[in-house]
Amino acid sequence: MNFSKLHGLGNDFIVIAGEQELPADVDQLAIRHCNRFFGIGADGLVYILPSENADFKMRIINSDGSEAEQCGNAIRCVSKYVFDHGLIDKTEITVETLGAGVQKVQLNLKDGKVSTVRVDMGQPILNGLQVPTTIDEDQVIHHPIEVDGREFHFTAVSMGNPHCVIYVDDAVNFDLAAWGPKLEVHPMFPRKINVEFVTVRNRSYTDMRVWERGAGPTLACGTGACATLVSSVLNGLTDREATVSLKGGDLFIEWNEADNHVYMTGPAVEVYTGTIVK
């Protein structure tokens, strides 16, 4: 089975195309091949599959074998793969996702290859039960949550997958390993949660670090960056366009007031190709 290794700001994926459906043992395949010591190494295993509703369908299996509904960095990588490998020859494409439906993608080329990708990430979901959380409110903003005797305040946003955004004094040096896994499985989040720790530098720039559900600390999270901007607007901290700076690099995020859609622009890079022998 052939694969390509791609990343979006260091959030890396094993990308497989040509299959008609997911293998029955895809969870075990992800656990084995995403292992950074005994496998290829990645944050997730991504399959590009046929779609009846879009140009392609994307399915994402986290490194722990669980499935993610959506991933902003993965959709950029998938978009680059299908163009650069000749599976499509247009620069405006559609990708079907499990949690966010069909999403429109604009490919930006350099020397005939995809350099950056702008994705219409759709409308954010803000209703507490739909994110989902256990909170029955139209919007969950600056809501208290306690874990191990420490109180945080979070804003809940779904971008097809669930996020809680927490503002801290120094996101860059925040102890992800201490608090990320505990918040991920907090009973307030029935399907677990992706956790973003954020420091707002000014109205057009934020620092963000992420603990991803099913993957742990990653260098970047596209849906998390989108959730961060939405949360920051709701909390009155930023404008509707801002750069979200992650450990692996920067994403430019827009929350368009006219259509209520969130747009994400960032790079995608192919690192190497190979063959899985077993």
Side-chain angles (χ1 to χ4, degrees):
M1 184 167 60
N2 295 324
F3 73 92
S4 289
K5 181 75 177 289
L6 290 95
H7 76 85
L9 300 181
N11 189 196
D12 57 344
F13 307 96
I14 302 163
V15 177
I16 296 173
E19 304 292 327
Q20 295 301 302
E21 58 185 19
L22 290 182
D25 61 343
V26 69
D27 56 340
Q28 294 304 310
L29 289 174
I31 291 170
R32 180 163 69 249
H33 296 311
C34 291
N35 187 292
R36 297 188 184 278
F37 300 98
F38 297 101
I40 298 164
D43 292 322
L45 180 61
V46 176
Y47 279 81
I48 302 174
L49 302 171
S51 171
E52 296 180 357
N53 306 310
D55 291 316
F56 299 95
K57 180 189 295 183
M58 175 180 75
R59 297 286 294 273
I60 311 150
I61 313 301
N62 293 318
S63 57
D64 70 350
S66 63
E67 184 165 11
E69 301 96 334
Q70 168 60 318
C71 176
N73 290 316
I75 197 172
R76 295 202 317 277
C77 290
V78 164
S79 301
K80 177 178 175 62
Y81 180 96
V82 297
F83 185 90
D84 287 3
H85 285 258
L87 302 185
I88 205 163
D89 61 1
K90 55 185 180 179
T91 56
E92 293 185 2
I93 67 173
T94 54
V95 179
E96 181 182 352
T97 67
L98 187 65
V102 175
Q103 298 192 308
K104 297 178 181 179
V105 179
Q106 173 69 50
L107 308 178
N108 303 311
L109 307 183
K110 182 178 181 180
D111 299 326
K113 299 286 187 180
V114 173
S115 174
T116 62
V117 181
R118 184 176 189 260
V119 185
D120 179 350
M121 299 291 288
Q123 300 186 39
I125 297 169
L126 303 176
N127 179 276
L129 296 181
Q130 294 177 12
V131 169
T133 73
T134 58
I135 305 163
D136 187 6
E137 296 179 6
D138 288 339
Q139 295 182 351
V140 181
I141 301 174
H142 197 66
H143 194 282
I145 186 171
E146 185 174 327
V147 58
D148 277 5
R150 179 170 177 176
E151 184 177 83
F152 296 95
H153 289 83
F154 75 94
T155 298
V157 180
S158 172
M159 294 302 308
N161 57 352
H163 296 267
C164 79
V165 180
I166 296 172
Y167 296 94
V168 296
D169 291 336
D170 184 5
V172 172
N173 296 302
F174 190 81
D175 193 348
L176 282 175
W179 301 104
K182 297 172 183 176
L183 287 160
E184 176 189 356
V185 299
H186 194 282
M188 200 173 288
F189 308 119
R191 292 213 309 264
K192 300 184 182 180
I193 202 82
N194 299 286
V195 189
E196 283 77 39
F197 298 97
V198 178
T199 300
V200 176
R201 298 300 180 189
N202 56 55
R203 295 197 64 83
S204 62
Y205 189 94
T206 72
D207 290 324
M208 186 197 97
R209 295 296 181 266
V210 60
W211 180 274
E212 290 202 52
R213 179 186 58 165
T218 62
L219 297 183
C221 177
T223 55
C226 294
T228 292
L229 179 73
V230 171
S231 169
S232 298
V233 172
L234 292 174
N235 283 277
L237 300 173
T238 68
D239 298 330
R240 298 182 77 96
E241 297 182 359
T243 297
V244 179
S245 182
L246 307 104
K247 192 170 185 179
D250 294 347
L251 290 172
F252 182 70
I253 312 296
E254 313 157 63
W255 187 13
N256 187 288
E257 193 166 7
D259 62 11
N260 196 38
H261 284 222
V262 180
Y263 296 86
M264 171 194 64
T265 302
V269 177
E270 184 166 15
V271 183
Y272 58 83
T273 61
T275 302
I276 297 173
V277 294
K278 64 177 180 177

